[in-house]
Amino acid sequence: MTQLIVSENPVLRVPPAAPADAAAYFAASLAFHADVSDVAAGLQAEHPGFVVVDSRSTASWDQGHVPGAVHLPTAQVPQLAAEFLDRDVPVVVYCWGPGCNGATRAAHALASLGYQVKEMLGGMEYWIREGYAFETFEGEARHEADPLTAPTGADACGC
């Protein structure tokens, strides 16, 4: 039984979970999420083993999307998923960024339809902020990596 320790420290007001519980929680989190750099690295393979889905509106898609992504707006997932996706291929879905839950809603819809799905943490915002190329209605674009979100002068963050 875990003993509750009363603390003035706001971090420790609620004690950390037991190590086994924490391990299970974080393992589950990794089963549901992928970060931008892992998705970018995975897409470099000849056969990545997953498909990326952009769940935003057409106007947002035109403004910029992950190269090779499938455009499947969240509201249209139930009607169009079978037309664009193979149930045997895992899906990584994204929306605008951390302040948007469109990807979460799209992932829920896809999972409810029987697809294996992960959500890309950070969405399109962090794809761009980390300096990865993106496609727009005008062609390919890229911004310098934001040093607050990605290392400058390095290929990976090391995590």
Side-chain angles (χ1 to χ4, degrees):
M1 182 171 172
T2 305
Q3 182 180 7
L4 182 61
I5 301 169
V6 177
S7 174
E8 294 300 316
N9 181 329
V11 173
L12 300 175
R13 280 187 195 134
V14 175
D21 293 339
Y25 171 84
F26 292 117
S29 180
L30 292 169
F32 297 115
H33 302 105
D35 69 25
V36 166
S37 63
D38 287 344
V39 173
L43 289 174
Q44 297 303 310
E46 185 176 339
H47 302 288
F50 64 91
V51 64
V52 177
V53 168
D54 184 316
S55 66
R56 299 171 304 144
S57 68
T58 299
S60 298
W61 167 268
D62 288 346
Q63 191 173 330
H65 55 272
V66 172
V70 172
H71 185 219
L72 187 57
T74 299
Q76 296 176 352
V77 167
Q79 297 82 16
L80 299 178
E83 184 178 334
F84 293 101
L85 304 173
D86 179 343
R87 276 195 174 77
D88 294 329
V89 178
V91 176
V92 175
V93 65
Y94 71 90
C95 199
W96 266 115
C100 176
N101 70 359
T104 305
R105 287 183 282 120
H108 176 258
L110 288 165
S112 296
L113 293 170
Y115 292 89
Q116 298 174 68
V117 63
K118 288 188 173 200
E119 182 178 2
M120 184 173 80
L121 296 174
M124 193 65 198
E125 176 187 347
Y126 276 75
W127 184 272
I128 293 169
R129 289 182 74 182
E130 291 190 18
Y132 296 110
F134 57 96
E135 295 175 346
T136 73
F137 72 96
E138 296 175 322
E140 189 173 287
R142 180 188 296 261
H143 295 288
E144 290 295 318
D146 179 341
L148 297 176
T149 64
T152 55
D155 291 334
C157 67
C159 60

